[in-house]
């Protein structure tokens, strides 16, 4: 057998902790865990020792290649998502800000997520100093670790070839390349959930209480990373363990209850601490309207994401008459394949679904503890539950959320490909009837390797004629499914590449022709010379992975900034690369909820640019804001087409007046803001967290983010802000920023108006600034 072909037929070796008592021994008591046999290699892992020699070099190439892809040119993205970078900077200076995830070191307000992902980056910044690499390298390493753990998880039951395929698919998924090079919480969430899947596999093997409790703990820490999204896999992990663990039913129930307790403790200790600490002794909980982490968990970041009822959010569907909001796309069965999302995750999604169904068909009516079926249900359940919720959630949804699907897609492609290839090969050989005791269920071996054992450990008791007929049918089924899956994958890659016709135009026909040609050759592999089969396999893998690999390489070579990044090149009707970074643009036909956005109403602020009286009866705009219909603001703010708000540096797609990206202050503005900054608790205050983050990161001084991310949180109230000003805690108010829709507090608008009416404005490089230490007449332009 040629080495390349043998990669797909090498079975997994039984790990040292899955051996059971001999079949001839006394039966185990009901509900008791299976007995363990002594390890054949007590001084090491026998599974690793039995791997072919090519496995470790191949794994090393995979991990090193992933590291290179995720680390190359990483610093070009600068602060990436400045919203989180500012919180990392704050946490590196204040342990209180570190614990709560505050946006500034003076602890005025937190980010709108739980802070676990910030902790890793803040520790890195404490060690290496504040810079782009210190923030982003931990994210890249989380990606390499995710690929490694996914490999280990899939390999354990299905062999090293399946693990390597799964890891490669994850590494080359464009949205994974994006998010493991970015500083959003999704990178840590993916690693924790993949580790949870590994712990589930270990727990199922021996009905281990220790491992299933660890699953709960890992998911609990996933909650501390991105709140309720981590819980989407809970019913899947619990259901697979309840189905397949080799122990009694009530013991499985008790173990799952203990796992639930572990989840509650791991997720709840931080929540309980925040709820018990008086509001006056901690920062305001960003994203909530009542300063409550429970409200944030269940509302804005919880059920509100499903229903669209997210008070104070920018997007959402329930109050918009359907759809998913301005940054969310349309809900429905095909959302994962649409223009905005398809190029991020769906390259191998059809293949994963086809192979899931085929694998379950081959598993047939296997025993309850059959691992082949358990693994398919584990990863298939992850993909279906998470994917369907993403498809139909009416609240805020961004395409990069789909990185949570990438491990499941990779696992199913790896598992399904290897299982079908083994079935195809096994069907070519004779089936010898064997009777006798069943071999204990272990990791999936290649069918036909052990003539007395069917996949999953069931004894082969069929007659020679019936077994041969069954094997022949399974062989043709496996061969046809593999060929069809590759053909569908090539066709879908051709469709996706067509959405960005200017991107590597030669690749589109090459993928289609190669994929369809190899699909035909797969059907004919029994007639081909054996030496050509490895060539067919390599060409098939290249055709399937060429599209996502090209998108992943383009993503790695493009700087990404802002709050809504996007992988890959520009697509028709979608967002451009970075989606808030260089080249980003708003989607065609996009409209904002309720006809407008910035506090004060209107499609864009229709004020005099200072927060004073609006034009045509409209409410006022922000200090330094844009003029109506793209006209210039009174204090130098340019219009809509200019893409700047109040003369700041953010573009329309990248800045949105400070909504989706930060501003880089000029040298003159920076010098003004930092003068005597150490004499104040907050160097400055401005509306919106992203607006504040640019000034804070540029100066290293705390900047109060009025109203939180959207400018719609009641933090602080006007009365509280006036107290801060009277106490001399805030030096400047910087105009611009903020965006309000779906209700929320009007405190930021009230503060902006009060400042404009009571303090003198000055314009520095197009940005309006108010000195809060000296009252004056209403601002003049």
């Amino acid at each position: 057998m040629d080495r390349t072909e043998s990669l797909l037929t090498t079975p997994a070796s039984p790990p040292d902790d899955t051996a059971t008592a001999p079949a001839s021994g006394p039966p185990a008591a009901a509900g008791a865990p299976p007995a363990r046999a002594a390890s054949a290699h007590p001084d090491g892992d026998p599974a690793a020792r039995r791997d072919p020699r090519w496995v470790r070099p191949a794994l090393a190439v995979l991990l090193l290649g992933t590291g290179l892809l995720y680390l190359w040119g990483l610093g070009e993205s600068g602060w990436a998502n400045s919203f989180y970078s500012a919180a990392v900077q704050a946490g590196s200076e204040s342990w209180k800000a570190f614990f709560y995830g505050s946006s500034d070191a003076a602890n005025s307000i937190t980010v709108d997520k739980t802070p676990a992902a910030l902790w890793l980056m803040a520790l890195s910044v404490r060690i290496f100093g504040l810079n782009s690499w210190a923030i982003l390298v931990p994210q890249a390493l989380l990606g390499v670790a995710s690929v490694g753990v996914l490999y280990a998880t899939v390999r354990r039951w299905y062999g090293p070839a399946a693990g390597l395929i799964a890891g490669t698919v994850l590494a080359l998924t464009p949205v994974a390349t994006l998010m493991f090079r970015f500083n959003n919480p999704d990178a840590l969430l993916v690693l924790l959930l993949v580790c949870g899947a590994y712990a589930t596999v270990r727990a199922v093997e021996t009905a281990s209480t220790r491992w299933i409790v660890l699953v709960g703990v890992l998911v609990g820490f996933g909650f501390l990373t991105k709140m309720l999204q981590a819980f989407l896999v809970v019913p899947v992990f619990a259901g697979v363990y309840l189905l397949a663990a080799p122990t009694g039913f009530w013991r499985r129930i008790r173990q799952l209850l203990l796992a639930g307790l572990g989840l509650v403790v791991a997720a709840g200790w931080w929540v309980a601490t925040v709820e018990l600490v008086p509001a006056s002794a901690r920062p305001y909980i960003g994203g909530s309207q009542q300063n409550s982490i429970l409200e944030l968990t269940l509302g804005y970041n919880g059920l509100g994401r499903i229903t669209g009822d997210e008070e104070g959010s920018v997007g959402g569907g329930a109050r918009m008459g359907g759809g998913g909001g301005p940054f969310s796309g349309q809900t429905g069965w095909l959302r994962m394949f649409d223009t905005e999302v398809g190029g991020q995750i769906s390259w191998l999604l059809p293949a994963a679904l086809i192979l899931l169904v085929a694998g379950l068909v081959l598993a047939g009516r296997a025993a309850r503890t059959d691992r082949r079926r358990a693994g398919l249900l584990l990863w298939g359940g992850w993909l279906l539950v998470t994917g369907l919720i993403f498809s139909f959630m009416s609240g805020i949804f961004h395409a990069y959320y789909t990185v949570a699907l990438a491990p499941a897609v990779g696992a199913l492609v790896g598992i399904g490909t290897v299982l079908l290839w083994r079935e195809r090969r096994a069907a070519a050989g004779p089936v010898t009837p064997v009777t006798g005791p069943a071999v204990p269920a272990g990791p999936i071996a290649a069918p036909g390797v052990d003539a007395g054992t069917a996949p999953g450990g069931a004894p082969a008791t069929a007659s020679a004629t019936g077994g041969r007929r069954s094997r022949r049918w399974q062989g043709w089924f496996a061969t046809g499914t593999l060929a069809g899956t590759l053909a569908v994958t090539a066709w879908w890659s051709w469709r996706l590449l067509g959405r960005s016709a200017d991107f590597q135009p030669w690749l589109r026909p090459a993928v289609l022709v190669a994929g369809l040609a190899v699909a035909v050759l797969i059907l004919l592999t029994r007639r081909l010379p054996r030496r050509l089969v490895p060539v067919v396999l390599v060409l098939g893998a290249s055709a399937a992975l060429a599209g996502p690999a090209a998108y992943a390489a383009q993503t790695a070579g493009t700087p990404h900034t802002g709050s809504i990044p996007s992988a890959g090149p520009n697509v028709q009707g979608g967002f451009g690369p970075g989606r808030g970074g260089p080249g980003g643009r708003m989607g065609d036909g996009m409209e904002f909820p309720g006809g407008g956005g910035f506090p004060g109403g209107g499609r864009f602020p229709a004020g005099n640019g200072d927060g004073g009286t609006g034009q045509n009866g409209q409410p006022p705009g922000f200090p330094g804001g844009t003029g109506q219909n793209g006209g210039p603001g009174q204090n130098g703010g340019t219009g809509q087409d200019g893409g700047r708000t109040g003369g700041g540096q953010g573009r329309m797609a990248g800045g949105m007046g400070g909504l989706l990206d930060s501003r880089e202050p000029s040298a003159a503005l920076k010098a003004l803001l930092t003068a005597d900054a150490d004499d104040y608790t907050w160097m400055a205050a401005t509306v919106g967290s992203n607006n504040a983050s640019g000034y804070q990161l540029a100066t290293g001084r705390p900047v109060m983010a009025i109203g939180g991310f959207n400018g719609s949180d009641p933090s602080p109230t006007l009365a509280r802000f006036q107290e801060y000003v009277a106490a001399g805690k805030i030096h400047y108010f910087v105009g611009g920023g903020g965006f309000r829709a779906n209700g929320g507090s009007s405190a930021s608008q009230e503060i902006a108006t009060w400042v404009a009416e009571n303090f003198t404005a000055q314009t520095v490089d197009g940005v309006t600034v108010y000195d809060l230490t000296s009252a004056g007449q209403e601002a003049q332009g």
Side-chain angles (χ1 to χ4, degrees):
M1 182 187 304
D2 294 277
R3 175 171 295 185
T4 305
E5 185 180 5
S6 72
L7 301 184
L8 295 180
T9 58
T10 303
S13 301
D16 61 341
D17 60 353
T18 59
T20 57
S24 59
R36 293 180 53 159
S39 172
H41 299 278
D43 58 338
D45 179 5
R49 288 172 177 268
R50 296 173 189 171
D51 277 340
R53 286 181 294 179
W54 55 263
V55 172
R56 289 188 178 181
L59 177 60
V61 170
L62 171 62
L63 296 180
L64 290 174
T66 302
L68 181 63
L69 178 66
Y70 292 171
L71 289 168
W72 184 265
L74 193 59
E76 295 299 317
S77 292
W79 300 123
N81 189 340
S82 61
F83 175 60
Y84 291 120
S85 290
V88 168
Q89 181 261 341
S92 70
E93 296 182 356
S94 164
W95 286 112
K96 182 177 181 180
F98 177 93
F99 178 80
Y100 289 108
S102 299
S103 292
D104 62 273
N107 292 288
S108 62
I109 192 170
T110 71
V111 299
D112 57 5
K113 299 288 187 297
T114 38
L118 301 176
W119 292 342
L120 294 178
M121 292 181 281
L123 290 174
S124 175
V125 170
R126 281 181 177 268
I127 297 171
F128 300 106
L130 180 64
N131 57 76
S132 178
W133 283 88
I135 292 173
L136 297 179
V137 166
Q139 303 293 94
L141 296 180
L142 291 175
V144 177
S146 297
V147 170
V149 176
L150 181 63
Y151 161 82
T153 306
V154 174
R155 172 211 167 276
R156 193 164 185 89
W157 285 358
Y158 300 93
L164 289 169
I165 294 172
T168 302
V169 170
L170 172 58
L172 295 180
T173 299
V175 71
T177 302
L178 172 71
M179 296 315 294
F180 288 126
R181 296 172 55 89
F182 209 67
N183 59 332
N184 280 21
D186 303 75
L188 179 59
L189 177 66
V190 168
L191 176 60
L192 288 170
L193 296 186
V194 174
C195 289
Y198 177 82
T200 302
V201 165
R202 296 297 300 268
V204 167
E205 288 175 356
T206 59
S208 168
T209 301
R210 172 171 57 95
W211 281 105
I212 196 61
V213 170
L214 179 60
V215 174
V217 172
L218 290 167
V219 175
F221 274 99
F223 172 87
L224 294 183
T225 302
K226 209 176 178 189
M227 307 189 91
L228 291 185
Q229 184 180 331
F231 289 175
L232 297 182
V233 298
V234 168
V236 178
F237 289 174
V240 168
Y241 186 81
L242 187 62
L243 171 68
T247 189
F249 176 77
W250 289 111
R251 184 169 186 268
R252 280 175 272 154
I253 293 294
R254 291 194 299 271
Q255 289 174 318
L256 288 175
L257 291 175
L258 287 175
L261 178 61
L263 185 153
V264 170
V265 171
W269 67 272
W270 186 87
V271 173
T273 301
V274 174
E275 284 293 302
L276 292 173
V277 171
S280 60
R282 59 167 173 79
Y284 187 92
I285 303 302
S288 72
Q289 296 295 308
Q290 303 298 326
N291 196 12
S292 168
I293 188 64
L294 292 178
E295 177 203 343
L296 178 65
T297 299
L298 300 175
Y300 181 82
N301 279 333
L303 297 178
R305 296 293 173 113
I306 305 297
T307 65
D309 186 13
E310 301 170 280
E311 187 175 5
S313 71
V314 175
R319 299 188 181 189
M320 299 178 62
F327 308 112
S328 306
Q330 291 297 314
T331 61
W333 292 100
L334 299 180
R335 189 184 217 176
M336 298 298 100
F337 302 91
D338 68 13
T339 302
E340 183 62 20
V341 180
Q344 311 295 301
I345 186 63
S346 73
W347 298 88
L348 291 164
L349 185 53
L353 295 173
I354 294 170
L355 294 171
L356 169 63
V357 173
L360 292 175
V361 169
L362 290 176
R365 301 174 62 181
R368 177 182 67 81
T369 57
D370 180 70
R371 292 183 184 172
R372 172 169 60 180
R373 183 177 58 194
L376 290 167
L377 291 176
L378 174 68
W379 298 107
W382 177 331
L383 178 63
L384 292 175
V385 171
T386 306
L388 288 174
I389 289 177
F390 284 171
S391 295
F392 289 95
M393 58 191 288
S394 296
I396 294 175
F397 169 79
H398 300 308
Y400 67 78
Y401 292 177
T402 57
V403 69
L405 302 177
V409 171
L412 289 172
V413 170
I415 292 168
T417 300
V418 169
L419 287 181
L420 291 175
W421 187 260
R422 290 174 183 169
E423 282 293 343
R424 171 205 160 276
R425 287 188 55 82
V431 176
T432 305
V434 178
T435 59
V439 176
I444 301 302
V449 172
D450 185 340
T453 308
T461 57
S463 67
T465 303
R468 189 175 297 109
R469 185 181 300 115
S470 175
R471 281 294 190 199
R472 187 179 297 114
W473 176 88
Q474 290 181 0
W476 281 113
F477 173 79
T479 302
T481 303
L482 283 173
T485 300
L486 180 57
V488 169
T489 300
W491 168 80
W492 183 239
S493 292
W494 179 78
R495 288 291 304 272
L496 289 175
L497 290 168
R499 294 175 179 176
S500 50
D502 295 333
F503 174 71
Q504 305 295 337
W506 62 271
L507 183 61
R508 189 185 185 210
V511 165
L512 181 64
V513 172
L516 295 180
V518 174
V520 173
L521 291 176
I522 289 176
L523 295 174
L524 302 175
T525 48
R526 293 184 182 180
R527 300 175 181 270
L528 294 176
R530 178 170 294 182
R531 65 179 179 276
L532 293 182
V533 174
V535 178
V536 172
L537 295 177
V538 171
L539 289 176
S542 300
L545 293 174
Y551 262 50
Q554 191 278 344
T555 300
T558 303
H560 291 82
T561 60
S563 297
I564 313 179
S566 181
N570 286 321
V571 294
Q572 295 179 353
F575 290 88
R579 237 176 111 180
R585 62 182 176 82
M586 301 301 293
D588 297 339
M590 177 171 289
E591 295 183 359
F592 297 108
F598 293 91
R603 184 171 301 275
F604 289 94
N608 63 7
D610 299 319
T613 303
Q615 299 174 357
N616 301 324
Q618 294 295 322
F622 276 138
T626 59
Q628 188 176 21
N629 298 325
Q634 189 177 38
N635 285 314
T638 61
Q640 178 179 351
D641 294 337
R644 296 170 61 193
T645 301
Q649 299 298 313
R651 288 172 297 279
M652 178 61 194
M656 286 288 296
L659 171 64
L660 300 181
D661 203 354
S662 63
R663 303 177 178 199
E664 178 67 25
S666 66
L669 180 56
K670 181 178 176 181
L672 173 68
L673 295 177
T674 54
D676 302 321
D678 292 338
D679 297 336
Y680 301 89
T681 304
W682 291 278
M683 174 190 71
T686 191
V687 175
S689 296
N690 270 320
N691 201 25
S693 67
Y695 300 117
Q696 180 171 303
L697 289 166
T699 63
R701 304 302 206 289
V703 176
M704 178 183 289
I706 298 173
F709 186 89
N710 302 322
S712 58
D713 299 342
S715 170
T717 62
L718 174 59
R720 186 64 170 164
F721 185 82
Q722 291 171 335
E723 292 176 4
Y724 288 142
V725 172
K729 293 186 175 183
I730 309 173
H731 195 177
Y732 293 104
F733 180 92
V734 184
F739 190 105
R740 182 168 63 85
N742 283 0
S745 171
S746 60
S748 59
Q749 176 187 350
E750 295 168 1
I751 291 171
T753 301
W754 177 76
V755 169
E757 292 175 349
N758 290 277
F759 296 90
T760 302
Q762 58 179 312
T763 302
V764 181
D765 291 335
V767 177
T768 305
V769 181
Y770 297 82
D771 186 344
L772 301 182
T773 62
S774 58
Q777 60 183 359
E778 184 175 352
Q780 300 297 319

